[in-house]
Amino acid sequence: MSEKTITAFARQFGLSRATLLYYDKIGLLSPKTTNQAGYRLYGVDEEKRMERVCLYRQAGLSLEDIKSLLDQNCDTALHQALEDQLRQTSQQLAALKARQRLIMDLLGRPETQMTVNQWVKMLEEAGVDEAGRKLWHQAFERDAPQEHEAFLYGLGLDQTEIDAIRARSQ
Amino acid sequence: MSEKTITAFARQFGLSRATLLYYDKIGLLSPKTTNQAGYRLYGVDEEKRMERVCLYRQAGLSLEDIKSLLDQNCDTALHQALEDQLRQTSQQLAALKARQRLIMDLLGRPETQMTVNQWVKMLEEAGVDEAGRKLWHQAFERDAPQEHEAFLYGLGLDQTEIDAIRARSQ
DNA sequence: GCGACTGTCACGAAGCGTTATTGTCA
DNA sequence: TTGACAATAACGCTTCGTGACAGTCG
């Protein structure tokens, strides 16, 4: 049999035995079969379920959400949960970036943000002139408009300037 | 007098009464003076200390760390703590970005992330060839090494590749 | 005397980690 | 008998939120 006892199974997924005990207790992953001594036996079904659990955990879903998603097996609910998580993650990202900037300030670090001038200078060193930059913006806007905007925003430009550049790049 | 009772002081900093009670209990912010009835009175000194507490909290330091930093009043310790926090924050940022990407994958969203190939293509449209790219990386590494690393990371390269490129750009 | 406020406990939550004690297998 | 492993149960961690109950202020 390929059935494993709890510690072996835990190690397979980089978890601790205590974690699996907890997952069993909350009904997230309860092995169907046990030893005659009461030992939990984890087989193929548990492995499959566990893979999804780990995946959704990495995506940041709570154990409770994962449990109900796996038990319902409903695609739209999953989709919704992931959308929510994505929004939440984006907010956390923004907050963390703000925190990073604050710490930099407190440390008296020069702002490490790139400036437009630095970019222009770097491109010039690579042999790109005014006309080349225009071609570059055009390609950027055509192939990845959202990233283009994010890039310009990251250079510290305000929305008006960004819109102007993007308009010129059509 | 400008001394405030606990709830007024809490609201001034956007905190709750319970939070200030807690801060008092752990010795992070204990008002020197009290009413004859035992009411806590928060004055100018408390206000100053509280401002620093809030600042360091925003920077992500633990209450315990903040307490010892404020009590020691040691600049090098503060600097060290902030450096540590900065490193930790950067790691969290990286983890969150990875999570975001995973969720995107699970949602079947088109990768909004730029790829190396897209960049190369865009640079080529702007007239930059292999040699130009090398000059560009050199300028990037020379003028803004940290941003260079972050940029490469943002393209989805792993640490090995990033280190290789940076080494070649010396 | 009434409502808004204060005081001091004390429990709860997330997601396990970490003992402690006892039972089972080779 | 001896380790290595299994079981359950329960406390610990972090930063407060949320009552409960009684005293105080205006």
Side-chain angles (χ1 to χ4, degrees):
Chain A
M1 295 304 146
S2 71
E3 299 192 323
K4 299 183 176 173
T5 52
I6 189 166
T7 300
F9 192 69
R11 271 204 272 268
Q12 178 179 346
F13 289 93
L15 298 174
S16 71
R17 187 179 84 100
T19 302
L20 290 189
L21 290 176
Y22 180 66
Y23 286 5
D24 189 1
K25 191 162 110 188
I26 65 175
L28 175 60
L29 182 75
S30 301
K32 296 183 308 299
T33 56
T34 56
N35 223 351
Q36 73 268 28
Y39 285 24
R40 296 164 179 78
L41 293 178
Y42 294 85
V44 184
D45 289 350
E46 285 77 21
E47 200 170 327
K48 282 184 191 159
R49 188 174 170 101
M50 195 61 186
E51 277 163 7
R52 299 191 65 188
V53 170
C54 289
L55 199 60
Y56 297 152
R57 283 248 59 200
Q58 282 180 52
L61 299 185
S62 73
L63 300 182
E64 200 179 336
D65 284 352
I66 295 173
K67 177 167 147 58
S68 70
L69 285 175
L70 290 183
D71 290 346
Q72 287 180 26
N73 208 16
C74 164
D75 268 4
T76 61
L78 173 60
H79 199 270
Q80 184 58 46
L82 288 176
E83 290 278 6
D84 287 356
Q85 191 59 31
L86 183 60
R87 208 159 6 90
Q88 204 179 314
T89 303
S90 300
Q91 285 173 7
Q92 289 173 11
L93 257 177
L96 264 188
K97 284 179 189 168
R99 166 174 297 184
Q100 208 179 28
R101 268 202 301 274
L102 173 64
I103 299 175
M104 293 281 206
D105 273 11
L106 288 173
L107 281 172
R109 286 269 178 86
E111 297 289 337
T112 64
Q113 222 196 355
M114 295 296 291
T115 65
V116 181
N117 288 340
Q118 277 180 292
W119 265 101
V120 170
K121 177 161 165 270
M122 278 166 30
L123 286 174
E124 276 172 355
E125 290 199 38
V128 179
D129 57 8
E130 168 88 45
R133 282 203 301 277
K134 178 153 191 184
L135 288 170
W136 179 62
H137 277 300
Q138 281 173 1
F140 210 158
E141 183 66 24
R142 186 193 62 220
D143 292 345
Q146 285 196 0
E147 284 296 308
H148 192 197
E149 170 158 13
F151 170 80
L152 294 171
Y153 180 80
L155 285 181
L157 298 178
D158 65 31
Q159 200 59 47
T160 323
E161 296 170 300
I162 292 175
D163 291 343
I165 292 174
R166 295 185 65 190
R168 279 205 303 276
S169 307
Q170 297 290 341
Chain B
M1 292 307 138
S2 72
E3 299 191 322
K4 300 182 176 172
T5 53
I6 191 166
T7 298
F9 191 70
R11 271 203 273 267
Q12 178 179 345
F13 289 93
L15 299 175
S16 71
R17 180 178 96 106
T19 303
L20 290 190
L21 289 176
Y22 180 66
Y23 285 4
D24 188 1
K25 189 162 111 189
I26 65 175
L28 175 59
L29 183 74
S30 301
K32 296 183 305 301
T33 57
T34 57
N35 224 351
Q36 73 271 24
Y39 284 24
R40 295 163 179 81
L41 293 179
Y42 294 85
V44 184
D45 290 349
E46 285 77 19
E47 200 170 326
K48 281 183 192 159
R49 189 175 169 102
M50 194 62 182
E51 276 163 8
R52 297 191 67 187
V53 169
C54 288
L55 199 61
Y56 297 153
R57 283 251 61 198
Q58 281 179 51
L61 299 185
S62 73
L63 299 182
E64 199 180 335
D65 285 352
I66 295 174
K67 177 167 147 56
S68 70
L69 286 174
L70 291 184
D71 290 347
Q72 288 180 29
N73 206 17
C74 164
D75 269 4
T76 61
L78 173 61
H79 199 271
Q80 185 57 48
L82 287 176
E83 290 278 8
D84 287 356
Q85 191 58 32
L86 184 59
R87 208 157 7 88
Q88 203 179 315
T89 303
S90 301
Q91 284 174 7
Q92 288 174 11
L93 258 176
L96 264 189
K97 284 179 188 166
R99 167 175 296 184
Q100 206 179 30
R101 247 187 281 179
L102 173 63
I103 299 175
M104 293 282 207
D105 271 12
L106 288 174
L107 281 172
R109 287 269 178 84
E111 297 287 338
T112 64
Q113 226 204 340
M114 297 295 295
T115 64
V116 180
N117 288 340
Q118 277 180 291
W119 266 100
V120 170
K121 177 161 164 272
M122 277 166 29
L123 286 174
E124 276 173 354
E125 291 198 37
V128 178
D129 57 7
E130 168 89 45
R133 283 203 300 277
K134 179 153 192 184
L135 289 170
W136 178 64
H137 278 299
Q138 281 172 0
F140 209 159
E141 183 68 22
R142 185 195 61 221
D143 293 346
Q146 284 197 0
E147 285 296 310
H148 192 197
E149 169 157 14
F151 170 81
L152 294 172
Y153 181 81
L155 286 180
L157 298 178
D158 66 30
Q159 200 60 46
T160 323
E161 297 169 300
I162 291 175
D163 291 344
I165 292 174
R166 295 185 65 189
R168 279 204 304 275
S169 307
Q170 298 291 340

